[in-house]
Amino acid sequence: MNDESAAALNAQGSQRMSAPHGRSPLNYIFGADQLRGRDIIGIEDLSKEELLLIVQVASDLKQNKFDSTQTQFSKGQTLAMLFEKPSLRTRVTFEAGMTQLGGSAIYLEGQLGIRESVSDVAKNLDRWLDGIMARTFDHETVLQLAANAKVPVINGLSDREHPCQAFADFLTLQEHKGKLEGLKLAFIGDGNNVVNSLMLFAAKIGMHFSIACPRGYEPVKELWDITLELAKTTGSKIVLTDDPIDAVKDADAVYTDTWVSMGQESESEKRIKDFKGFQVNSALLANAKSNVIAMHCLPAHRGYEITDDVLDGNQSVVFDQAENRLHAQKAVIALTL
Ligand code: CP
Ligand code: NVA
């Protein structure tokens, strides 16, 4: 959404926001239309109420709380899905999500800004479609798309954040633990895009968060500082350590992700050496709460950041997380497009 369209939306006020296209069964939730027309770029841009709204709508969609005439939130709408990097979950769940909501999705692959500028791509898609989801290398590319399209732009993973993963993860935590506030989430591994979204989400809603990573692999300082500031207002305890055992102590959930994110393949050898000792295995989980759950955004690199027995064991909720990508994606689509 560019500045001009944001101003126009504000000028139109609650009438436009409350009855988009005359179809808003989500009105049963007070404030459900506050995300209509908005971009979903990062957890950093969303309020606590907005984050919890997305989780609630995802949960309601999962439980089929809407009758069949109400689930066609996206009837006649089309979403562009731009991918600079590979994907299984994000691609399939956005496409299936659009179909299930009565709309459709168009998959486009390749690096943006090569054949034509990112802004021209955005200005074209904006004339034809109702939304753009993008997975990019540089976060700046998602921002450029958003600045040049009036339709909502959704970040499907950039080098800075992976917000749609976090929506699914917090739905999964809610389902398994019955609450979010006051839980302790521990992350073991690289301070990457997934961590950035998780720690911001935790701090915004009052969840405690610890990360154990090797020195030099901490989350980006700007977002870490924002996380610490947010935590002051919500009471979240936020800890950074290089000791995995310390990080998982009293944890309700232990999360890990690849040591080598997409685009970092040339650093693989060094990273595999540097992350030795930062594996989520059953010996490490024994230091957490007895009912701890193990989480991973997938794809997993079995035998590296997580062992087979943990990934496939009864503490694992990774395939619930994967399933919840579908429900979370549908919530984002229903709330924004
Ligand atoms: N977790 C996740 O985003 O998976 P994909 O890379 O397969 O989309
Ligand atoms: N941190 C990983 C997440 C993949 C879903 C990456 O960026 O490759």
Side-chain angles (χ1 to χ4, degrees), residues 86-91 135 162 165 262 297-299 325:
S87 170
L88 175 68
R89 282 147 290 273
T90 307
R91 178 189 174 174
R135 166 166 290 191
H162 195 0
Q165 180 67 50
M262 291 178 278
C297 57
L298 302 176
R325 290 297 301 276

Side-chain angles (χ1 to χ4, degrees), residues 85 89-90 135 157-159 162 165 190 192-195 257-258 260-265 297-299 325:
K85 299 172 179 173
R89 282 147 290 273
T90 307
R135 166 166 290 191
L157 180 150
S158 68
D159 58 358
H162 195 0
Q165 180 67 50
D190 188 21
N192 61 19
N193 42 10
V194 169
V195 173
D257 180 20
T258 183
V260 186
S261 283
M262 291 178 278
Q264 298 172 334
E265 290 77 6
C297 57
L298 302 176
R325 290 297 301 276

Side-chain angles (χ1 to χ4, degrees), residues 249-303:
K249 194 168 179 297
D250 296 323
D252 297 283
V254 174
Y255 198 125
T256 190
D257 180 20
T258 183
W259 296 335
V260 186
S261 283
M262 291 178 278
Q264 298 172 334
E265 290 77 6
S266 64
E267 300 170 25
S268 284
E269 211 176 315
K270 176 172 169 33
R271 283 176 166 266
I272 288 168
K273 276 195 203 125
D274 291 348
F275 281 96
K276 199 165 181 290
F278 289 82
Q279 181 185 67
V280 172
N281 52 40
S282 45
L284 182 68
L285 288 184
N287 297 284
K289 280 191 180 160
S290 58
N291 63 348
V292 68
I293 55 174
M295 304 182 75
H296 193 307
C297 57
L298 302 176
H301 303 80
R302 292 166 176 265

Side-chain angles (χ1 to χ4, degrees), residues 46-290:
L46 297 162
S47 68
K48 172 179 178 176
E49 290 67 32
E50 289 163 349
L51 294 173
L52 296 178
L53 172 67
I54 294 170
V55 172
Q56 183 188 339
V57 173
S59 173
D60 288 352
L61 284 164
K62 182 174 183 175
Q63 295 172 62
N64 291 319
K65 287 207 173 158
F66 307 96
D67 70 35
S68 58
T69 59
Q70 289 180 314
T71 51
Q72 302 292 291
F73 292 109
S74 300
K75 197 161 189 236
Q77 291 192 312
T78 314
L79 177 76
M81 308 192 300
L82 310 179
F83 281 92
E84 290 190 328
K85 299 172 179 173
S87 170
L88 175 68
R89 282 147 290 273
T90 307
R91 178 189 174 174
V92 173
T93 55
F94 265 105
E95 185 159 346
M98 279 303 290
T99 305
Q100 291 174 18
L101 294 174
S104 58
I106 297 174
Y107 176 72
L108 293 146
E109 182 187 25
Q111 192 156 355
L112 291 159
I114 302 284
R115 185 161 177 260
E116 59 191 314
S117 71
V118 174
S119 57
D120 285 353
V121 170
K123 286 173 187 168
N124 277 268
L125 295 173
D126 182 68
R127 296 288 178 111
W128 306 318
L129 307 176
D130 303 283
I132 300 169
M133 188 275 291
R135 166 166 290 191
T136 66
F137 284 97
D138 295 333
H139 188 68
E140 183 58 33
T141 307
V142 183
L143 294 175
Q144 273 186 43
L145 288 168
N148 288 282
K150 294 185 199 74
V151 295
V153 171
I154 301 164
N155 181 0
L157 180 150
S158 68
D159 58 358
R160 185 177 172 99
E161 281 217 45
H162 195 0
C164 295
Q165 180 67 50
F167 303 141
D169 295 339
F170 280 75
L171 171 59
T172 309
L173 282 161
Q174 170 78 47
E175 288 173 343
H176 283 274
K177 297 293 172 188
K179 63 174 189 173
L180 293 174
E181 209 169 329
L183 293 177
K184 175 176 171 180
L185 172 63
F187 186 94
I188 309 299
D190 188 21
N192 61 19
N193 42 10
V194 169
V195 173
N196 290 339
S197 292
L198 291 175
M199 69 191 193
L200 287 161
F201 203 131
K204 284 201 178 190
I205 61 151
M207 185 182 288
H208 308 304
F209 181 83
S210 292
I211 173 169
C213 56
R215 300 244 167 106
Y217 293 99
E218 295 85 3
V220 59
K221 185 170 178 339
E222 183 200 348
L223 294 182
W224 182 254
D225 289 345
I226 293 173
T227 301
L228 293 179
E229 279 308 306
L230 286 165
K232 284 184 195 162
T233 63
T234 58
S236 300
K237 190 171 171 222
I238 307 291
V239 173
L240 173 64
T241 172
D242 59 4
D243 180 356
I245 293 179
D246 188 37
V248 304
K249 194 168 179 297
D250 296 323
D252 297 283
V254 174
Y255 198 125
T256 190
D257 180 20
T258 183
W259 296 335
V260 186
S261 283
M262 291 178 278
Q264 298 172 334
E265 290 77 6
S266 64
E267 300 170 25
S268 284
E269 211 176 315
K270 176 172 169 33
R271 283 176 166 266
I272 288 168
K273 276 195 203 125
D274 291 348
F275 281 96
K276 199 165 181 290
F278 289 82
Q279 181 185 67
V280 172
N281 52 40
S282 45
L284 182 68
L285 288 184
N287 297 284
K289 280 191 180 160
S290 58

